[in-house]
Amino acid sequence: MIGSLLYLTASRPDILFSVCLCARFQACPKESHLHVVKRIFKYLAYTSSLGLWYPKNSTFDLHTFSDADFGGCKVDRKSTSGTCQFLGNMLISWFSKKQNSVALSTTEVEYIVAGSCCAQVIWMKQQLLDYGIIFEKVPIKCDNTSAICLGKNPVHHSRTKHIDIRYHFIKDHIERNDVELVFVPTKDQIADIFTKPLDEQSFSRFRMELGLCEID
């Protein structure tokens, strides 16, 4: 059941967080996990006409959203990363993943996921370069001002020394004008749908902003 749902997330990003959360328990599932998976199937049954819409008149600017849920996992207190990338209004890439280690601050988790998002953007820029399309200062929209300041500040403070050096490569790409960290209010952070459970109103709004709509 989990395998089928994971296959479906390639066209239904709205279920990605729920499916990935259930997948963490598939090695030793309980009856409660089975009930949750059945609820996902029930949701899909009621929304079977939803699909990603790619309008031909959309603009062609590359922009991304990056977010994390600090200590969201109740089992090991690890955080969940979520990002999505758009060409204009068209969703082209998305992921939701539990981070490898326990973070000590919201700044750390947001900075880590921004680094992962940056790596995805650099790969996309390289692919689009083959078609003669060049982007500079691709905005990575983040709702954590401390993470944004950390990306722009060349000085390493004592409170950030514990962050693994491999995540600091985002600073190099900011200095090269490949990407830029841009603040976005939490209420407009679309990547929230990939990191945590949401109320029905927020979920429906973010689902629509991802480009999921009724397809006849």
Side-chain angles (χ1 to χ4, degrees):
M1 294 168 75
I2 292 293
S4 300
L5 290 171
L6 285 171
Y7 178 79
L8 191 58
T9 58
S11 59
R12 289 293 299 267
D14 54 326
I15 65 170
L16 180 62
F17 171 72
S18 300
V19 174
C20 289
L21 186 61
C22 292
R24 299 173 190 174
F25 302 96
Q26 62 180 340
C28 187
K30 298 180 180 179
E31 189 174 349
S32 58
H33 301 133
L34 178 61
H35 289 320
V36 174
V37 172
K38 287 183 176 179
R39 287 185 64 184
I40 298 175
F41 277 106
K42 187 179 292 186
Y43 165 75
L44 290 171
Y46 282 104
T47 59
S48 59
S49 59
L50 282 181
L52 285 171
W53 177 252
Y54 295 94
K56 64 180 180 180
N57 58 348
S58 174
T59 56
F60 210 70
D61 57 306
L62 181 62
H63 59 105
T64 72
F65 291 86
S66 164
D67 192 37
D69 181 28
F70 178 51
C73 182
K74 303 300 182 184
V75 178
D76 53 16
R77 307 308 297 180
K78 292 180 180 178
S79 305
T80 302
S81 302
T83 70
C84 54
Q85 290 76 33
F86 290 83
L87 270 178
N89 297 325
M90 302 175 290
L91 181 66
I92 56 174
S93 177
W94 57 92
F95 87 86
S96 175
K97 182 182 179 182
K98 186 166 72 171
Q99 294 185 0
N100 295 327
S101 57
V102 178
L104 301 179
S105 66
T106 55
T107 301
E108 180 180 352
V109 295
E110 295 278 0
Y111 193 58
I112 288 172
V113 68
S116 299
C117 188
C118 177
Q120 181 73 2
V121 168
I122 298 303
W123 179 82
M124 287 182 175
K125 286 184 63 175
Q126 192 61 42
Q127 298 299 309
L128 291 168
L129 191 61
D130 295 340
Y131 297 94
I133 302 171
I134 301 174
F135 290 106
E136 290 188 355
K137 286 192 172 183
V138 176
I140 298 176
K141 299 178 182 179
C142 172
D143 60 2
N144 187 284
T145 53
S146 297
I148 294 173
C149 292
L150 181 59
K152 295 178 179 178
N153 189 355
V155 180
H156 291 191
H157 296 288
S158 59
R159 67 178 61 184
T160 65
K161 286 181 179 179
H162 63 280
I163 301 177
D164 199 297
I165 192 67
R166 68 191 180 98
Y167 296 117
H168 285 291
F169 84 101
I170 190 174
K171 286 184 177 180
D172 294 333
H173 290 290
I174 290 174
E175 292 171 0
R176 296 175 194 171
N177 291 328
D178 290 329
V179 299
E180 63 175 338
L181 290 175
V182 179
F183 177 76
V184 62
T186 301
K187 64 181 179 64
D188 299 323
Q189 178 55 274
I190 301 176
D192 258 0
I193 199 172
F194 301 119
T195 62
K196 60 178 75 73
L198 300 172
D199 60 84
E200 184 179 355
Q201 184 179 1
S202 298
F203 180 82
S204 299
R205 181 166 59 88
F206 286 146
R207 184 180 65 186
M208 183 176 64
E209 292 183 11
L210 286 175
L212 280 162
C213 58
E214 298 282 343
I215 297 178
D216 297 329

